[in-house]
Amino acid sequence: MTPRVSRSALAGLDIGSSRIKCVVCDPAGTVLAAAERSTPLGARDADALATAGLNALAEAVAASGRHPDAVGLTGMAETGVPLDRHGAQTGPLLAWADPRGTTEAGRLVRDTGAAALHAATGVRPSAKATLAKWCWLRAHLPHALDAMHVWCGAADLLALALTGRVATDATFAQRTMAYDVHRGRWDTDLAGLAGVRTDRLPPVRPPGEPVGPLTDEAARRVPGLRAGTPVVVAGHDHPVGAWAAGVRTAGAVADSMGTAEAVLTLTDDPPDSARTLAEGMGYGRSADGRHWYVLAGTGSCGALVEWYVDLVGLPLGAERHQALGVLLEAAGPGPTGVLVEPYLSGRSAPEPDPERRVALHRLGPEDGPARLALAVVEATAYQARWMTETQRVLTGGGRPREVTLLGGPVAQPRWPRVKAAVAPWRTRVLAEHRAPAVGAALLAARAAGPLADEPLPVHEATASPQEDPDGYDRLYREAFLPLVRRPTADTPPGSRP
């Protein structure tokens, strides 16, 4: 007798800074079909962003041949747009990386205090924070906020397109720096710093609770989706990807690698805010709401490697990925002994130093492009170890048993091996590079039935004979840490040594 094949399926959409990724997967998280689109942030057009997301969703659903039982949404935080009551923009779509808000963030720190803002929201004040963007709008485009009926984040825009309703979740709300992460509500006083009323901010749904059902109009735009299908804003991509990878218990650690890199450690209780802020880190609630997390980020992971491949003139497209892999495998044994300070535009954590920049040390005439490629990857591994060890101190834990790697760079075979050699803990790798999209789909399953409890499969990464763990450990402790902690000529007065 032929076993019956389940036709159940779930859809997940990840609105990233550069790419929109959509998957249709089965309830175990196995991807049945996928599609991608470029993220059209340059136009600052909310309709263009929503259309790109819907097109990716339509392509993936059509390719799967399934009718998804639920749709989950994730993606970048801090990116959003003011909308009127008809869903039209009243101001520009502002991305998290948009520098507008820099002056206003400084003013918020001077007037309110970084410690007070961080203690209430878990967010480090910066131009990224939505509150700083609102302050910029208030100063330069006040009509945009006066006419605003609701603020809508990037993932929330897709929810609006699918359901006709706007709502968000706590992991997104928190990143605005106007949400009290301890009380679980919008903060009237914080929003008021930009002259924004909290009734103009989206309702915050509990984990897994739908924004609403799919509308008839959306079902016509995305053939294969059925009207009435629940749509869930699953949360910020880093916590959602970590959850998908099985990082779900206190003490578990995820290392989310992409253009940027984020290390996330779960804990039962919120960390000491003052110490966490001093290390340049944030904190908040996990994707399923069961734990707290401490989060450290660096903008120099995949971006640092892209800087390197541009520097040496590797080809564009898929050939670039292959050429980098060839260089890494040809680099010979590690550690290289070449030290790279991996900071394209300052260091946010640990020990923040906004003036820090990329620097090369110990580069010799025998070190060609392959050795330098490996040195760049080594530097990202050293930095991730430093962030992880600092988080363990902040959360009161000892050395982690294991750290789970996820994200596009794990597709380079040598990169996880170097990470495993640098780290004094077990290194696990999630091969599925679309973890946030799959995680959003699985978290949305709660709206259609029981929540899938099984994480996505991982495998253990081990150092190969090319890597010397003892040598890496010695270089990390005796050379890398002293080097990157040493004050430079540009280090601001009063910065930590």
Side-chain angles (χ1 to χ4, degrees):
M1 182 175 178
T2 303
R4 182 176 179 181
V5 178
S6 171
R7 299 294 295 172
S8 296
L10 304 159
L13 202 59
D14 176 10
I15 315 300
S17 302
S18 57
R19 304 292 294 175
I20 296 172
K21 299 178 182 180
C22 183
V23 301
V24 175
C25 62
D26 66 18
T30 301
V31 174
L32 307 171
E36 291 190 15
R37 294 291 188 278
S38 295
T39 306
L41 289 180
R44 302 190 179 96
D45 184 343
D47 287 340
L49 182 62
T51 297
L54 292 177
N55 289 344
L57 180 59
E59 181 181 334
V61 170
S64 74
R66 307 286 180 94
H67 300 287
D69 299 317
V71 179
L73 305 170
T74 185
M76 55 186 161
E78 294 110 356
T79 297
V81 63
L83 302 178
D84 66 17
R85 64 179 59 255
H86 303 294
Q89 288 181 236
T90 66
L93 176 69
L94 295 173
W96 64 268
D98 193 310
R100 286 177 288 189
T102 300
T103 300
E104 289 72 19
R107 188 175 300 122
L108 286 168
V109 169
R110 289 192 302 272
D111 295 348
T112 305
L117 292 165
H118 187 267
T121 68
V123 177
R124 290 179 60 240
S126 72
K128 286 173 56 176
T130 311
L131 179 58
K133 296 286 194 286
W134 293 339
C135 289
W136 182 90
L137 287 170
R138 177 59 64 196
H140 299 276
L141 297 172
H143 65 276
L145 292 182
D146 292 339
M148 181 177 77
H149 177 68
V150 67
W151 178 264
C152 194
D156 310 338
L157 278 170
L158 269 297
L160 174 61
L162 292 169
T163 69
R165 304 177 186 178
V166 177
T168 194
D169 97 310
T171 63
F172 279 134
Q174 175 204 343
R175 301 293 297 180
T176 65
M177 209 168 70
Y179 183 80
D180 188 323
V181 71
H182 301 279
R183 294 181 174 86
R185 67 189 185 196
W186 294 111
D187 188 294
T188 302
D189 292 336
L190 289 176
L193 294 172
V196 172
R197 292 170 18 206
T198 54
D199 63 359
R200 295 293 185 261
L201 303 179
V204 179
R205 299 279 192 257
E209 183 175 306
V211 173
L214 194 84
T215 63
D216 292 333
E217 179 184 355
R220 287 191 292 271
R221 292 185 69 179
V222 186
L225 286 182
R226 294 175 287 208
T229 299
V231 177
V232 174
V233 175
H236 186 199
D237 51 8
H238 291 310
V240 169
W243 181 89
V247 178
R248 304 181 185 179
T249 58
V253 184
D255 182 349
S256 180
M257 303 164 63
T259 301
E261 185 166 15
V263 173
L264 177 149
T265 299
L266 293 186
T267 178
D268 285 325
D269 302 300
D272 180 271
S273 177
R275 293 173 62 208
T276 304
L277 176 62
E279 294 291 358
M281 301 188 190
Y283 64 93
R285 299 310 299 256
S286 60
D288 59 11
R290 297 175 181 174
H291 296 88
W292 292 82
Y293 67 75
V294 178
L295 182 71
T298 173
S300 301
C301 182
L304 183 70
V305 173
E306 285 296 313
W307 165 82
Y308 161 77
V309 296
D310 285 338
L311 194 67
V312 299
L314 293 188
L316 298 175
E319 293 179 1
R320 169 173 285 205
H321 173 85
Q322 295 168 359
L324 175 63
V326 170
L327 280 177
L328 290 174
E329 294 300 335
T336 61
V338 177
L339 293 177
V340 178
E341 295 192 58
Y343 311 117
L344 287 174
S345 56
R347 182 174 66 233
S348 55
E351 300 181 14
D353 187 345
E355 304 305 321
R356 211 88 192 191
R357 292 296 183 270
V358 174
L360 305 180
H361 305 267
R362 301 184 178 184
L363 187 67
E366 71 281 5
D367 296 310
R371 294 293 282 174
L372 184 54
L374 181 56
V376 167
V377 167
E378 290 171 346
T380 68
Y382 293 142
Q383 177 66 22
R385 175 174 170 178
W386 189 19
M387 292 192 291
T388 303
E389 290 179 341
T390 304
Q391 287 186 357
R392 300 305 292 181
V393 173
L394 292 172
T395 58
R399 177 178 293 177
R401 296 190 309 276
E402 59 191 25
V403 172
T404 302
L405 309 181
L406 58 145
V410 303
Q412 285 288 354
R414 192 162 189 185
W415 205 328
R417 299 203 309 264
V418 170
K419 287 264 193 174
V422 169
W425 44 73
R426 186 171 66 164
T427 300
R428 304 191 315 160
V429 179
L430 177 67
E432 175 52 68
H433 65 279
R434 298 154 298 200
V438 176
L442 296 179
L443 283 164
R446 180 181 295 173
L451 178 68
D453 286 329
E454 290 299 317
L456 299 179
V458 298
H459 66 269
E460 186 168 350
T462 57
S464 73
Q466 285 185 298
E467 278 79 48
D468 173 14
D470 291 336
Y472 274 122
D473 181 68
R474 184 169 55 255
L475 269 173
Y476 168 74
R477 291 183 295 102
E478 299 177 5
F480 178 80
L481 282 182
L483 174 67
V484 297
R485 300 176 84 171
R486 183 185 307 154
T488 68
D490 295 324
T491 301
S495 295
R496 295 173 56 180

